[in-house]
Amino acid sequence: MTIRERRRRRKRLRLIKRLATAGLIFSAVGGVTLATLVAGINNSLDILQKRGIPISDWDQKKRELYRLKVFGGKVYFLAAELDRSEQKTNKENEADGSEKQAAEKRTERGQGNA
């Protein structure tokens, strides 16, 4: 057997191992209940929301997906139309409030507006 034949054989064996592993993963996930799959997707949605990554509706860009629910064996998505301007003003107000609190603490300590 030449070196080239050995390399081809090793390459085929690696491919077979990858396919077998993918098949095992799919069969393991395929046996999971619908509720478990939806719970996993909801966990992923939570992670994306915490990172500030919105998942928008394709047709109505203002609507954002925030949860999946199972009712009667069917999966439904829950989306809300969020007003980004309100969220920005709330964040700005929170920032202003924290700056005011910091200024008050400085004046209490006798540091003034330094």
Side-chain angles (χ1 to χ4, degrees), residues 57-69:
D57 188 340
W58 184 266
D59 296 325
Q60 299 175 0
K61 302 294 184 199
K62 291 182 181 180
R63 290 181 56 183
E64 290 184 10
L65 173 71
Y66 65 91
R67 185 79 39 222
L68 295 178
K69 288 281 188 177

Side-chain angles (χ1 to χ4, degrees), residues 46-64:
D46 288 340
I47 292 168
L48 290 171
Q49 288 171 353
K50 287 177 184 174
R51 291 183 180 183
I53 301 170
I55 301 175
S56 301
D57 188 340
W58 184 266
D59 296 325
Q60 299 175 0
K61 302 294 184 199
K62 291 182 181 180
R63 290 181 56 183
E64 290 184 10

Side-chain angles (χ1 to χ4, degrees), residues 27-100:
S27 65
V29 172
V32 175
T33 64
L34 179 63
T36 306
L37 286 173
V38 169
I41 294 169
N42 282 333
N43 286 335
S44 298
L45 289 173
D46 288 340
I47 292 168
L48 290 171
Q49 288 171 353
K50 287 177 184 174
R51 291 183 180 183
I53 301 170
I55 301 175
S56 301
D57 188 340
W58 184 266
D59 296 325
Q60 299 175 0
K61 302 294 184 199
K62 291 182 181 180
R63 290 181 56 183
E64 290 184 10
L65 173 71
Y66 65 91
R67 185 79 39 222
L68 295 178
K69 288 281 188 177
V70 179
F71 292 112
K74 294 183 179 181
V75 180
Y76 297 91
F77 71 91
L78 304 175
E81 192 169 314
L82 302 176
D83 188 9
R84 290 282 177 204
S85 62
E86 283 184 17
Q87 289 180 349
K88 287 180 184 175
T89 55
N90 288 340
K91 287 181 182 178
E92 289 171 0
N93 290 339
E94 289 174 5
D96 290 342
S98 62
E99 290 173 6
K100 288 177 185 176

